[in-house]
Amino acid sequence: MSLPPLVEPAAELTVDEIRRYSRHLIIPDVGVEGQKRLKNARVLCVGAGGLGSPALMYLAAAGVGTLGIIDFDTVDESNLQRQIIHGVSDVGRSKAESAAASIREINPLVKVEIHNTALDRDNVREIFSQYDLIVDGTDNFATRYMVNDAAVLLGKPYVWGSIYRFDGQASVFWAEHGPCYRCLYPEPPPPGMVPSCAEGGVLGVLCASIGSIQVNEAIKLLAGIGEPLVGGLMVYDALEMSYRKIKVRKDPDCVLCGENPTVTDLLEDYEDFCGAVSVEAQEAVVDSTITALELKEWQDAGKDIFLVDVREPAEYEIVRIPGATLIPKGEIISGEALSRLPQDRQIVLHCKSGVRSAEALAALKAAGFRDAVHVQGGVLSWIKQIDPALPAY
Ligand SMILES: [Zn+2]
């Protein structure tokens, strides 16, 4: 399926532009007209992180006339392994500002619009409506569903990508011509089922593999060339080095873009819809949560506690709270590790940020360990409050 160009061509290219884009202009399928369309295009990149970095850099180099960047985060040292639009001197700086500075260095002819804010229910329509196309580089399900819903409600196409460890996926969602994200994934995964990149890691270069697919598709849509990835899902396995293209059909029963939609407006609360923490875990932590400071006090006072680190072995290698025993969450949830837990000591669970330990706490309480508690904020809180010399990862 080919689609008409998304953008009308600009009136003309300047001499500077002809020189700069000459390698595009001599491709017959792009040509002067295609480049003029890119010049007139307005593309919004949601997130200037792993996917947003290569996407923004190549969109800028390609001569997309206006690039919007929405990101409220600041650059952290742990971003630099993959977020190549930022550098050492940008650590601590707003990601949107840092990305804008890099874009100006790559191509000063590009106009950059900075949205230094969190995308939310109240601003998403107003921001999206200013652009022809959205590139989604978000890393969490709540924002992803909101991006999808807003794009469908506004009739905008968007290029989606996702990355985890060695695996990547990409697609173009455009309800007018094909499926939306909800057709592919009607329900968010249960809380705690799919680890984030912060929990599970991501190979840095994977961002380039998926981000470049996103830019490729964006350019095709804007200029109306080739076959867009509408109705197709690219699945990339970096370990096998395989790309597979899977057909995705529009779901006639899709609650958003199907024949009888029941979702006709943005949801009230996407965090709630995706459930950052399961109901069981939310209940389990009530009156069973201690702070890192309290844990330290218990340790210093010689209280008889059994401290369990429910993260994965690789994380335990990087940094650990003194005295912690490693028992990954999965072994607690499955019940496999329960026999290794003492019945007569105060059990204290912790993970990296407090989400996984809350899930494990729910399982422990259900198994009869009524007095077990977990540490709010996990290792990250410990580092912040007790030992800032340890590496936050
Ligand atoms: Zn749909």
Side-chain angles (χ1 to χ4, degrees):
M1 173 178 61
S2 62
L3 292 171
L6 200 56
V7 179
E8 289 302 312
E12 58 181 357
L13 296 180
T14 63
V15 174
D16 279 350
E17 287 166 339
I18 290 171
R19 266 202 297 265
R20 174 179 276 267
Y21 304 125
S22 66
R23 299 301 185 277
H24 271 170
L25 303 182
I26 55 178
I27 305 175
D29 285 336
V30 181
V32 172
E33 190 182 278
Q35 194 65 48
K36 283 180 178 172
R37 291 188 196 277
L38 296 184
K39 181 179 178 178
N40 229 6
R42 299 176 55 86
V43 173
L44 175 71
C45 193
V46 183
L51 292 171
S53 287
L56 284 165
M57 292 168 91
Y58 272 110
L59 288 167
V64 169
T66 305
L67 280 176
I69 308 170
I70 178 152
D71 204 313
F72 67 95
D73 208 359
T74 52
V75 180
D76 181 82
E77 198 181 354
S78 70
N79 299 147
L80 303 181
Q81 159 261 16
R82 65 198 178 286
Q83 302 182 13
I84 55 168
I85 203 165
H86 313 297
V88 172
S89 60
D90 297 315
V91 170
R93 190 179 183 191
S94 129
K95 282 192 181 179
E97 300 279 356
S98 160
S102 297
I103 289 170
R104 282 184 212 111
E105 187 63 24
I106 292 168
N107 188 352
L109 304 178
V110 171
K111 197 168 157 247
V112 183
E113 289 175 359
I114 294 174
H115 306 275
N116 199 345
T117 173
L119 196 64
D120 61 34
R121 181 178 199 285
D122 298 323
N123 63 21
V124 63
R125 279 174 193 268
E126 192 247 319
I127 293 175
F128 277 21
S129 59
Q130 300 166 34
Y131 296 90
D132 302 304
L133 176 79
I134 320 292
V135 172
D136 181 17
T138 48
D139 59 356
N140 68 84
F141 288 97
T143 313
R144 205 171 272 169
Y145 276 93
M146 183 171 65
V147 166
N148 179 71
D149 293 0
V152 171
L153 293 170
L154 292 168
K156 302 269 178 192
Y158 79 101
V159 191
W160 165 79
S162 121
I163 45 174
Y164 178 68
R165 292 189 176 163
F166 297 96
D167 298 315
Q169 299 184 354
S171 186
V172 174
F173 295 115
W174 194 357
E176 214 173 293
H177 299 284
C180 80
Y181 182 76
R182 284 181 185 259
C183 294
L184 179 62
Y185 297 112
E187 300 268 334
M193 272 290 287
V194 180
S196 66
C197 287
E199 277 175 10
V202 59
L203 187 72
V205 71
L206 187 73
C207 302
S209 310
I210 299 301
S212 69
I213 293 178
Q214 292 182 281
V215 174
N216 187 63
E217 292 308 310
I219 289 173
K220 282 160 59 187
L221 289 166
L222 296 170
I225 53 180
E227 276 220 5
L229 193 54
V230 174
L233 173 68
M234 283 306 300
V235 179
Y236 173 56
D237 181 331
L239 284 181
E240 264 186 22
M241 189 39 73
S242 65
Y243 280 97
R244 281 182 304 138
K245 189 171 165 183
I246 298 168
K247 252 201 164 76
V248 186
R249 290 183 201 287
K250 194 176 180 75
D251 178 2
D253 297 324
C254 176
V255 293
L256 183 68
C257 78
E259 284 153 20
N260 299 299
T262 51
V263 176
T264 53
D265 194 0
L266 294 171
L267 303 183
E268 280 298 326
D269 190 338
Y270 282 87
E271 294 286 350
D272 194 40
F273 172 63
C274 294
V277 180
S278 71
V279 177
E280 291 81 6
Q282 283 175 33
E283 286 168 4
V285 300
V286 177
D287 298 328
S288 299
T289 300
I290 62 168
T291 63
L293 217 53
E294 285 172 295
L295 171 60
K296 181 76 168 91
E297 283 165 10
W298 282 8
Q299 285 182 328
D300 291 348
K303 188 171 161 108
D304 186 22
I305 60 171
F306 187 69
L307 181 62
V308 182
D309 184 341
V310 304
R311 297 173 303 155
E312 297 301 313
E315 299 178 86
Y316 189 73
E317 278 297 312
I318 297 170
V319 60
R320 64 188 77 164
I321 297 179
T325 301
L326 178 72
I327 304 179
K329 185 191 85 177
E331 294 176 27
I332 292 175
I333 305 271
S334 70
E336 195 187 326
L338 294 182
S339 61
R340 283 153 60 199
L341 297 175
Q343 302 276 356
D344 53 349
R345 296 170 70 187
Q346 169 68 57
I347 294 177
V348 180
L349 305 177
H350 82 80
C351 62
K352 180 181 179 180
S353 67
V355 175
R356 283 174 285 174
S357 58
E359 300 286 341
L361 184 65
L364 270 197
K365 288 196 159 184
F369 292 86
R370 299 256 151 239
D371 299 331
V373 297
H374 91 133
V375 181
Q376 188 176 34
V379 169
L380 294 180
S381 275
W382 177 271
I383 293 172
K384 216 170 181 178
Q385 295 174 9
I386 311 295
D387 193 351
L390 292 175
Y393 66 102

